[in-house]
């Protein structure tokens, strides 16, 4: 018998495949989806195996040094792949592309595309260019025009989750928290037109999405640059009227741009889920002042108090940084006291990481030793875990509402979903119930999730509206 011929991988009949890795925040997850959508329109498929890919894209994060280190080592593993298959194309997108483009050229010459936070949607066109002309393309333009943000014309059929979706409503941040790289990588606040956001929500809802989470680095000032659009509350009020949308969420809310009146308006909108992510960062006024957070610990407590007063059933989550320059044992004790007193349902805790060119990097010495940072990190996480576990255990035996979203990653007999307060629940249910709301009795609770049994499930998708 002669050799069996198999179609070569570049035959037009076999679609080219992209392997995509993303790091960092929810916006990065969505940005990666936007790019995969653009490629899908051109007939590209996906692969989980970098060695099988025709194109590898890495959407990067610069918020801590560790996130950047992971990207450097990943890029190193792609070198032999490219050597074996010179037709392989590699792209670095997002915050690191914006921040260290020169270094990428030097340390990773096998990278073909370097596209920053305003340019990453150009993958398809730039790839064509590289194929035609060879060489590499580097784009790190600052956003040229607020009407051409990289969110336009999203391919909504390409989504990780069928029944919930992220929608970016603004990019960038006008604050300059001393530790934060985001204003450098993502630039000034720029809001999308409300009509564009609502049109995207309508298309997503028509495609089965019931829960929409609006994203922005400092979302409470959405629309500051578009004074006629009605701000975040106006956007939520209009989005709540989109047929098929049951649940709305948004993040990140910073304490300094939150008002009591906004809380009242969130509380008056039943479709706005009672969950607010409000990073505290520290409980010490001295540290907060050095961080340029412009609020005190007392003001943070007040903001949480407004939420609890005006948003029925609200759950607040937070971020903390330990080991910021000059943080003493006494400062840290104040942070721990804030965490223990506010008893938030969940908090992320990060060790301070120096980010080049930030105010803190330029003016403050990174003087808290690594082992002290580690010990404070652990102490805060332990304290938070105890609070989270108690909060979850308090729900044992009660009935919560869950939007059954996707198969549980840990138990094939279960579907995972979220309560209105954004707690993760693994429910005994089969995949045929995806997209339904269910009333669920909580049977087990750990610090990070709940397990439960169905009491009642919507008879057909969208037969109920979410209640809180
Ligand atoms: N408002 C932004 C914040 C991005 S960074 C958003 O939500 O998109 C997310 C969190 O990372 C911050 O709230 C902060 O707690 C932490 N963080 C930011 N810069 C940091 C740094 N240099 N070192 C350690 N943690 C940091
Ligand atoms: Fe960063 Fe502070 Fe803005 S944490 S994203 S500079 S509000």
């Amino acid at each position: 018998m002669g050799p069996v011929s198999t179609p070569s991988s570049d035959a037009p009949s076999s679609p080219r495949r992209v392997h995509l890795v993303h790091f960092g925040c929810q916006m990065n997850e969505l940005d990666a989806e936007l790019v995969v959508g653009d490629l899908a329109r051109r007939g590209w498929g996906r692969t989980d195996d970098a060695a099988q890919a025709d194109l590898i894209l890495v959407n990067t994060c610069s918020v801590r040094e560790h996130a950047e280190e992971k990207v450097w080592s990943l890029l190193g593993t792609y070198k032999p792949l490219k050597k074996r298959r010179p037709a392989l194309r590699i792209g670095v997108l997002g915050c690191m592309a914006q921040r260290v483009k020169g270094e990428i050229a030097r340390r990773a010459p096998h990278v073909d595309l370097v596209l920053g936070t305003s340019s990453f949607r150009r993958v398809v066109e730039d790839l064509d260019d590289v194929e035609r002309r060879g060489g590499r393309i580097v784009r790190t333009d600052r956003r040229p025009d607020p009407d051409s943000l990289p969110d336009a014309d999203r391919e909504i059929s390409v989504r990780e989750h069928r029944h919930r979706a992220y929608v970016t409503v603004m990019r960038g941040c006008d604050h300059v928290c001393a530790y934060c790289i985001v204003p450098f990588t993502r630039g000034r606040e720029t809001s999308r037109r409300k009509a564009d956001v609502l049109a995207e929500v309508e298309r997503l809802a028509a495609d089965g999405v019931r829960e929409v989470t609006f994203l922005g680095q400092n979302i409470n000032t959405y629309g500051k640059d578009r004074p006629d659009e009605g701000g975040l509350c106006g956007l939520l009020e209009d989005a709540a009227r989109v047929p098929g949308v049951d649940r709305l969420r948004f993040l990140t809310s910073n304490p300094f741009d939150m008002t009591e009146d906004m809380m009242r308006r969130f509380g008056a909108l039943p479709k706005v889920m009672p969950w607010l992510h409000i990073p505290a960062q520290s409980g010490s006024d001295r540290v907060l002042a050095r961080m340029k957070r412009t609020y005190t610990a007392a003001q943070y407590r007040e903001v949480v108090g407004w939420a609890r007063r005006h948003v029925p059933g609200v759950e607040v989550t937070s971020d903390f940084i330990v080991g910021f320059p000059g943080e003493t044992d006494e400062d840290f004790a104040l942070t721990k006291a804030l965490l223990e007193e506010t008893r938030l349902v969940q908090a992320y805790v990060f060790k301070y990481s120096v980010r080049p060119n930030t105010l803190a990097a330029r003016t403050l010495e990174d003087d808290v030793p690594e082992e002290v940072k580690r010990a404070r990190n652990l102490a805060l996480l332990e304290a938070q875990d105890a609070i989270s576990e108690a909060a979850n255990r308090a729900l044992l035996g009660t009935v919560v509402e869950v939007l059954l979203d996707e198969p549980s990653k840990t138990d094939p007999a279960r579907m995972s979903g979220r309560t209105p307060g954004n707690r993760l629940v693994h429910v005994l249910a089969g995949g045929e119930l995806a997209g339904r709301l269910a009333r669920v009795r909580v049977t087990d609770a750990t610090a990070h999730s709940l397990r439960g049994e169905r009491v009642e499930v919507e008879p057909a998708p969208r037969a109920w509206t979410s209640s809180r």
Side-chain angles (χ1 to χ4, degrees):
M1 254 173 69
V4 180
S5 91
T6 49
S8 79
S9 63
D10 55 9
S13 57
S14 73
R16 291 187 293 172
R17 286 187 292 176
V18 57
H19 174 74
L20 191 134
V21 187
H22 76 86
F23 293 88
C25 59
Q26 289 88 345
M27 194 176 287
N28 266 10
E29 181 183 336
L30 171 56
D31 288 348
E33 235 168 70
L34 299 180
V35 173
V36 175
D38 293 338
L39 289 161
R41 281 180 176 154
R42 294 287 204 91
W44 282 73
R46 283 187 81 159
T47 175
D48 292 335
D49 180 3
Q52 300 293 321
D54 303 284
L55 169 66
I56 298 174
L57 294 175
V58 186
N59 197 18
T60 59
C61 172
S62 292
V63 133
R64 281 168 292 276
E65 193 181 359
H66 182 59
E68 294 199 344
E69 280 162 1
K70 284 198 284 196
V71 170
W72 288 120
S73 69
L74 191 64
L75 291 178
T77 67
Y78 298 153
K79 218 173 226 169
L81 298 181
K82 178 100 173 191
K83 203 159 189 187
R84 211 171 327 137
R85 231 156 24 91
L88 170 65
R89 298 284 169 248
I90 300 171
V92 175
L93 316 180
C95 285
M96 263 178 91
Q98 193 75 35
R99 199 181 84 73
V100 289
K101 55 181 181 224
E103 203 178 338
I104 294 173
R106 212 174 54 247
R107 285 175 65 177
H110 53 301
V111 168
D112 305 278
L113 300 176
V114 180
L115 303 179
T117 48
S118 298
S119 324
F120 64 91
R121 282 292 292 277
R122 299 201 42 135
V123 165
V124 169
E125 292 148 275
D126 286 349
L127 195 63
D128 283 351
D129 256 20
V130 167
E131 298 298 347
R132 257 197 320 271
R133 293 191 294 199
R136 67 157 51 192
I137 292 178
V138 178
R139 286 184 200 278
T140 52
D141 345 312
R142 282 272 178 228
R143 188 170 306 131
D145 165 9
D147 289 328
S148 65
L149 289 178
D151 300 291
D153 189 28
R154 166 180 185 183
E155 177 53 57
I156 53 132
S157 67
V158 173
R159 294 201 310 276
E160 180 92 12
H161 310 286
R162 299 318 301 168
H163 305 289
R164 63 184 168 96
Y166 295 124
V167 173
T168 295
V169 302
M170 66 188 293
R171 289 177 180 267
C173 184
D174 284 354
H175 288 279
V176 261
C177 301
Y179 51 80
C180 187
I181 197 76
V182 171
F184 296 82
T185 58
R186 293 192 177 270
R188 303 285 309 244
E189 288 177 11
T190 318
S191 302
R192 291 178 72 190
R193 252 196 306 251
K194 181 162 73 171
D196 294 344
V197 173
L198 292 173
E200 190 172 317
V201 172
E202 280 165 15
R203 287 196 296 137
L204 287 163
D207 197 45
V209 167
R210 302 182 69 169
E211 177 175 310
V212 172
T213 303
F214 290 138
L215 301 180
Q217 275 80 29
N218 186 41
I219 200 159
N220 291 47
T221 57
Y222 165 77
K224 187 173 82 179
D225 49 340
R226 295 182 180 278
D228 303 329
E229 306 271 73
L232 176 63
C233 293
L235 174 65
L236 291 167
E237 282 155 11
D238 288 352
R241 285 193 281 271
V242 172
V245 170
D246 274 303
R247 294 173 152 204
L248 291 166
R249 304 184 191 275
F250 55 92
L251 80 161
T252 294
S253 294
N254 282 295
F256 28 64
D257 290 309
M258 187 69 95
T259 63
E260 186 168 15
D261 188 54
M262 288 179 96
M263 294 288 193
R264 285 199 191 93
R265 289 176 73 181
F266 302 149
L269 282 168
K271 287 187 183 174
V272 171
M273 292 291 100
W275 169 60
L276 293 166
H277 185 62
I278 314 179
Q281 312 300 4
S282 173
S284 155
D285 292 347
R286 283 186 304 256
V287 173
L288 287 168
R290 277 202 303 278
M291 287 177 165
K292 302 276 178 242
R293 289 292 284 180
T294 70
Y295 53 87
T296 61
Q299 283 166 329
Y300 183 82
R301 288 180 173 88
E302 186 179 22
V303 170
V304 172
W306 292 338
R308 289 179 169 158
R309 196 163 327 131
H310 299 301
V311 185
V314 76
E315 310 274 21
V316 177
T317 56
S318 190
D319 295 338
F320 290 93
I321 296 175
V322 293
F324 188 74
E327 186 188 68
T328 61
D329 286 340
E330 194 192 338
D331 292 321
F332 176 69
L334 290 167
T335 296
K336 192 150 173 278
L338 179 69
L339 179 139
E340 282 171 340
E341 187 199 308
T342 47
R343 296 191 72 78
L344 307 181
V345 68
Q346 214 191 342
Y348 299 93
V349 183
F350 305 104
K351 287 181 291 177
Y352 171 66
S353 164
V354 182
R355 305 289 55 224
N357 300 323
T358 56
L359 186 66
R362 285 184 282 117
T363 60
L364 302 169
E365 194 193 337
D366 181 19
D367 57 359
V368 178
E370 181 58 29
E371 59 281 11
V372 175
K373 285 184 187 169
R374 206 175 309 131
R376 289 179 184 167
N377 187 45
L378 207 66
L380 220 50
L381 282 174
E382 268 173 21
Q384 182 59 46
D385 268 8
I387 295 166
S388 300
E389 190 175 339
N392 278 345
R393 291 188 65 81
L395 293 182
L396 281 172
T398 66
V399 173
V400 293
E401 186 187 84
V402 179
L403 176 59
L404 299 173
D405 185 47
E406 58 207 339
S408 158
K409 290 190 181 78
T410 49
D411 183 346
R414 289 174 190 267
M415 297 277 296
S416 298
R418 299 267 171 178
T419 66
N422 211 34
R423 299 197 203 185
L424 178 63
V425 193
H426 305 291
V427 185
L428 278 172
E432 73 285 357
L433 294 179
R436 309 270 182 108
L437 285 167
R439 299 203 172 97
V440 172
R441 189 176 314 283
V442 178
T443 54
D444 298 278
T446 67
H448 301 287
S449 67
L450 303 166
R451 280 147 71 96
E453 289 164 357
R454 285 176 279 156
V455 174
E456 195 184 1
V457 181
E458 246 180 333
R462 290 183 168 145
W464 300 348
T465 43
S466 198
S467 57
R468 62 183 189 195

